[in-house]
């Protein structure tokens, strides 16, 4: 029995579906998959997918201190009876996995599971892609580790579809009505408790570059652009700043409705690693240049699956210190720190300078510090940052451009020219959105109102 190991960061994103009916256009200088197809045809082939959202509380000392978020959605696997799964669209990994019906323990019991007997389109294969007879007990097993958690599974060559009707709403009809792609799929027979127990999504669909996949045939995006000749070799991500409006991912182009201004591009550094990573020329916090990145050897990874801004661990304490600020007013009054002013963070990517403010990076709940001797109280607002450990592939100076950046900027991922585009996100009005809201769901939303502060006595 063969075991293969792969290390990738689990970066969480989401789904449901809608063709764009002319609202999506190709990125201006991204080449179509085949030069014979006009740009308009490529635009028409793009699919915009509204995203579901889940809040997962982070609990410390029996109280919720913050929430992680996950964005996920629907794919349909197999023919002629497509099986529906929800998956995270993850720019930090390169393979697609869904739970198998052979997985009966732990978190698998709470998720949809793939039933091999229902699919006539599946071909069982070994790790080398060689077809194996059906119902063989001793099959190759693949082990894939993520930033948190891991899976073990078997391999099948299978058809994966996004099913839409002509009007653009997700339907339960033939999978041939939507974009379908044949690729190798990991059918998980084991899932770790964390993180899969806490989240509602069933699996992960990797959107990293092809070298991040176990084999090119595992790469969904690579297979999609090869098999769907009208689609652009690109996708775009929009993260909504309100739960009333669905976030979206667009496959095969960008959605011009969600972009305010021209896209500015940063080239992918070391694309052979498979990550959407860019070189960082410098990082500035409140106008102060961080010494860590002054040599220009930091990198930033655009990550559709991280809830926070990721900061190299060796710089995290300094950045926290620079972003912390004292808040005036009644110290007993509950406040939301996202509404309190604070210094900007500027990440210089060369032709692109990504700027996020206190509303983007702040932890909602304040810290209330009580001096036991004087009984004086100070209210402090802090940043919510993710310390990033050194990884062999990415090194010790890696920043993660997670949800705080993706919410402020529409991001485009150019598979052909290996670059990432940034433009200010155009947030739509929240009125008249009943139809859009019906296409996505929000799970575990926190209560409305200012969060309860954390109290510390010194």
């Amino acid at each position: 029995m063969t075991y293969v190991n792969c290390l990738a960061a689990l970066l969480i994103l989401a789904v449901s579906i809608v063709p764009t009916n002319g609202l999506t256009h190709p990125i201006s200088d991204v080449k179509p998959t085949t030069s014979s197809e006009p740009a308009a045809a490529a635009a028409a082939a793009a699919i915009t997918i509204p995203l579901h959202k889940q809040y997962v509380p982070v609990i410390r000392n029996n109280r919720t201190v913050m929430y992680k978020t996950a964005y996920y959605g629907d794919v349909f696997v197999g023919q002629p009876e497509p099986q529906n799964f929800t998956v995270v669209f993850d720019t930090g990994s390169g393979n697609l996995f869904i739970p198998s019906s052979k997985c009966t323990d732990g978190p698998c019991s709470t998720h949809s599971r793939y039933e091999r007997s229902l699919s006539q389109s599946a071909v069982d294969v070994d790790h080398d892609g060689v077809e194996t007879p059906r119902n063989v007990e001793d099959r190759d097993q693949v082990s894939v580790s993520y930033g948190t958690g891991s899976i073990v599974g078997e391999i099948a060559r299978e058809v994966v579809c996004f099913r839409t009707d002509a009007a653009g709403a997700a339907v339960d009809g033939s999978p041939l009505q939507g974009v379908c792609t044949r690729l190798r799929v990991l059918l998980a027979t084991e899932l770790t408790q964390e993180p899969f127990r806490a989240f509602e999504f069933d699996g992960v669909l990797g959107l990293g570059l092809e070298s991040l996949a176990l084999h090119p045939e595992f790469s969904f995006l690579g297979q999609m652009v090869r098999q769907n000749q009208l689609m652009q070799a690109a996708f775009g991500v929009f993260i909504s700043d309100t739960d009333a409006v669905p976030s979206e991912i667009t496959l095969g182009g960008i959605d011009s409705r969600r972009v305010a201004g021209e896209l500015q591009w940063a080239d992918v550094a070391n694309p052979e690693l498979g990550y959407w990573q860019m070189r960082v020329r410098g990082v500035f916090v409140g106008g102060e240049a961080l010494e860590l990145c002054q040599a220009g050897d930091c990198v930033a990874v655009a990550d559709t699956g991280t809830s926070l801004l990721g900061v190299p661990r060796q710089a995290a304490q300094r950045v926290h210190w620079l972003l912390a600020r004292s808040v005036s007013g009644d110290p007993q009054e509950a406040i939301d720190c996202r509404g309190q002013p604070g210094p900007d963070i500027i990440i210089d990517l060369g032709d692109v300078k990504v700027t996020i403010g206190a509303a983007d990076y702040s932890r909602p709940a304040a810290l209330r510090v009580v001096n036991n001797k004087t009984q004086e109280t100070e209210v402090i607002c802090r940043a919510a940052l993710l310390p990033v450990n050194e990884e062999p592939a990415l090194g010790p100076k890696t920043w993660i451009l997670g949800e705080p950046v993706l919410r402020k900027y529409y991001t485009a991922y150019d598979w052909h020219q290996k670059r990432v585009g940034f433009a200010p996100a155009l947030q739509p009005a929240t009125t008249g959105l009943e139809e859009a809201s019906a296409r996505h769901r929000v799970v575990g939303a926190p209560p409305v109102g200012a969060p309860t502060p954390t109290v510390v006595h010194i």
Side-chain angles (χ1 to χ4, degrees), residues 7-360:
L7 179 64
L10 180 57
L11 315 174
I12 295 178
L13 222 225
V15 173
S16 202
I17 318 200
V18 185
T20 52
N21 297 329
L23 292 171
T24 300
H25 63 76
I27 299 171
S28 58
D29 51 355
V30 172
K31 296 179 181 178
T33 310
T34 58
S35 58
S36 61
E37 298 295 343
I47 296 177
T48 292
I49 302 168
L51 312 177
H52 310 306
K53 183 177 183 179
Q54 181 186 4
Y55 291 88
V56 176
V58 177
I59 299 175
R60 293 174 186 161
N61 299 322
N62 296 318
R63 64 182 297 271
T64 299
V65 295
M66 60 186 298
Y67 289 84
K68 296 182 290 186
T69 51
Y71 299 87
Y72 57 95
D74 300 317
V75 296
F76 300 86
V77 181
Q79 295 179 350
E81 298 182 39
Q83 301 173 56
N84 185 194
F85 299 91
T86 55
V87 297
V88 160
F89 284 74
D90 177 14
T91 55
S93 64
N95 310 288
L96 167 62
F97 91 79
I98 53 176
S100 166
S101 60
K102 293 182 180 181
C103 186
T104 57
D105 297 330
C108 281
S109 61
T110 63
H111 294 285
S112 298
R113 286 170 284 183
Y114 173 83
E115 181 56 64
R116 174 67 177 82
S117 63
L118 297 179
S119 178
Q120 297 178 16
S121 56
V123 177
D124 298 328
V125 297
D126 62 17
H127 173 63
D128 294 323
V130 178
E131 182 175 351
T132 61
R134 286 190 61 175
N135 302 318
V136 171
E137 291 293 331
D138 189 22
R139 293 189 57 196
D140 283 0
Q141 297 281 305
V142 176
S143 174
V144 178
S145 297
Y146 295 91
T148 52
S150 62
I151 67 123
V152 175
E154 300 171 342
I155 309 169
R157 188 174 292 114
E158 183 57 289
V159 174
V160 177
C161 298
F162 304 104
R163 298 185 298 170
T164 60
D165 65 9
V171 297
D172 293 327
S174 166
L176 296 179
Q177 290 178 301
V179 173
C180 296
T181 300
R182 179 176 287 277
L183 71 157
R184 292 191 215 172
V185 178
L186 297 173
L187 307 175
T189 56
E190 298 177 26
L191 299 178
T192 54
Q193 290 287 330
E194 299 298 332
F196 303 111
R197 177 184 59 184
F199 288 106
E200 296 231 334
F201 60 83
D202 301 315
V204 174
L205 193 156
L207 290 175
L209 295 169
E210 197 161 70
S211 54
L212 201 55
L214 293 170
H215 179 277
E217 199 177 355
F218 282 94
S219 171
F220 173 83
L221 197 59
Q223 292 292 93
M224 181 190 76
V225 298
R226 279 188 284 268
Q227 297 173 23
N228 297 280
Q229 300 271 308
L230 295 182
M231 297 194 79
Q232 289 269 336
F235 63 97
V237 175
F238 165 77
I239 300 297
S240 175
D241 64 2
T242 172
D243 290 345
V245 176
S247 299
E248 298 166 342
I249 182 170
T250 297
L251 301 175
I254 66 169
D255 190 341
S256 60
R257 300 172 304 169
R258 304 293 182 246
V259 178
E262 293 295 321
L263 285 162
Q264 302 295 316
W265 296 94
D267 291 334
V268 171
N270 303 316
E272 68 278 3
L273 297 177
Y275 295 97
W276 295 98
Q277 69 167 350
M278 299 146 283
R279 294 228 173 271
V280 174
R281 273 61 174 180
V283 176
F284 304 85
V285 181
E288 176 180 316
L290 289 185
E291 184 178 354
L292 178 71
C293 298
Q294 283 185 325
D297 55 351
C298 286
V299 297
V301 177
D303 176 5
T304 56
T306 295
S307 301
L308 306 175
L309 176 69
V311 178
R313 182 169 289 279
Q314 58 187 304
Q317 184 175 8
R318 178 60 180 164
V319 175
H320 269 298
W321 179 263
L322 291 171
L323 296 177
R325 66 265 189 209
S326 182
V327 178
S328 60
D330 183 357
Q332 302 305 316
E333 180 182 355
I335 62 170
D336 188 328
C337 282
R338 292 171 295 188
Q340 300 296 319
D344 286 344
I345 304 172
I346 300 174
I347 302 174
D348 183 356
L349 303 176
D351 292 335
V352 183
K353 290 179 174 58
V354 172
T355 303
I356 60 173
D360 307 305

